[in-house]
Amino acid sequence: MILHASAVSMEGRGLLVLGKSGAGKSGLALRLMALGARLVSDDRVILEARADGVLMATAPGQIAGLIEARGVGLLQVDPVSSARIVLAVDLDTRPEARLPQDRCITIMGCELELISGRDVPNMDAILAILLQEGRKVAT
């Protein structure tokens, strides 16, 4: 499956960045890369569900290592070849509350925690901590 999304990896844990065109997927990926994440793919992500329930992400060959920097152009970086996706953020939806209920998304039979990220201050720092440290406390 090829999805219109971006993906980065930090500490061996991958993040899928979802949203409509212009939602800020590439910008969020760039900010996470500045915090130590590595690019998996920008704009289009190839997803594959393994038999063990793991969702893997890779980049289509023609865009591997390229990320859009709005107002600057395409940047070439050293990407990771693949990543195990453990978390997703949706830049089209706002959180329902200050401490929202946990949400999940199922992609190709694999369940992921889903964060609503639209207009959330410090979303890059929050996601970096989740990718480095694991998971948040259940509310």
Side-chain angles (χ1 to χ4, degrees):
M1 162 190 263
I2 297 179
L3 195 61
H4 179 72
S6 293
V8 296
S9 178
M10 184 177 273
E11 304 290 330
R13 297 166 50 85
L15 169 72
L16 190 62
V17 184
L18 305 169
K20 295 177 186 165
S21 184
K25 296 179 297 297
S26 298
L28 178 57
L30 283 167
R31 291 189 305 279
L32 285 163
M33 290 165 61
L35 294 173
R38 295 203 39 217
L39 179 68
V40 177
S41 190
D42 183 46
D43 192 48
R44 287 178 287 145
V45 178
I46 298 172
L47 296 174
E48 178 184 342
R50 295 191 332 204
D52 60 359
V54 171
L55 188 65
M56 296 298 294
T58 58
Q62 64 272 32
I63 64 169
L66 300 177
I67 185 166
E68 178 187 350
R70 192 170 291 235
V72 174
L74 293 176
L75 303 179
Q76 187 169 9
V77 300
D78 183 26
V80 294
S81 60
S82 66
R84 176 184 180 174
I85 300 298
V86 299
L87 179 65
V89 60
D90 181 357
L91 297 181
D92 290 335
T93 61
R94 289 183 176 91
E96 338 166 315
R98 187 170 167 189
L99 298 173
Q101 295 294 316
D102 290 344
R103 293 179 52 212
C104 291
I105 186 172
T106 302
I107 300 175
M108 300 178 69
C110 300
E111 191 172 286
L112 304 169
E113 180 180 359
L114 179 65
I115 305 283
S116 295
R118 185 171 178 188
D119 299 329
V120 175
N122 306 309
M123 182 51 65
D124 51 350
I126 293 165
L127 293 169
I129 290 168
L130 284 172
L131 289 172
Q132 291 171 14
E133 303 294 329
R135 55 189 314 242
K136 61 186 177 109
V137 175
T139 54

